[in-house]
Amino acid sequence: GAVFSVRMRASQESMHISGGERLAEEERVREIAHSLIERALTHERGGPDSIHLTIDKMDRSDIQSIAALPISTIPVRDVHEGYAAAQRKLVEAGIPSAIAAHAIDLLKKGPGPQGTVMRGAVLMDVQTGERLEPDIARGVRVSRFDWKEETLRSWMDEVSSFGFNRSRIWEAIALASKVAAAPGVLAEICWSDDPSYVTGYVSSPSLGYVRIPHLKEKGDPVGGRIFFVDRQQTDISTLIHYLEKQAVWIDQ
Ligand code: PML
């Protein structure tokens, strides 16, 4: 059978409130479309005004296969320890200390115009700290990635005792794994814009996916993602094409 890309985004008063996407074998498209619509309708910020569902048939040979990043957790007690841990890990991943600090500050104050949240990620030049995304209000949206169903099932069995089997976590790991495999990306830092969710992570090919339980205070609606880009290893249009368009499955 065919494989389909199934994508959902929902908005309320023209603000993005929820989104998600899956790669689905043909026989699971209906079920997956349902679960994405269900997610939009039961969003904690209330019902959406608009839900967009996009289903595109894929060519199987166009799907790149990658491995999931291994997970670890740094047991910090508060945001101060959290930011220190994030800073340390970014430096370990090869990010210059001043650039790492600049990135953490940018996520704290909101990387969009006037401190707003962006739908996409910031691309930060690892040498200069300069922002490389063509539209700095929108950022770059990572799209077209998923777990292969069997791989997700066996991964969930392995990690269930740690409580990692929530969709927010496995989606974040899938995204971070795609980003870690991107041309010219040295590392990523992320925490959610969901006011009730304070865990974030730093990830890179060598670090894996490092969870940090406190990267903001509860109630804070500001968050986002920053990818650190080495321009000597990639040109920006190749990178953006990979992030937005290249279909990737985690099947290892
Ligand atoms: C986790 O490992 O707990 C997920 C952290 C990132 C969540 C990002 C998001 O949901 O926006």
Side-chain angles (χ1 to χ4, degrees), residues 168-169 172 190-193 197 199-201 209 211 225:
R168 182 194 294 276
I169 301 176
C190 163
W191 65 83
S192 185
D193 55 9
Y197 202 83
T199 298
Y201 64 85
Y209 181 93
R211 303 182 77 224
R225 293 191 152 84

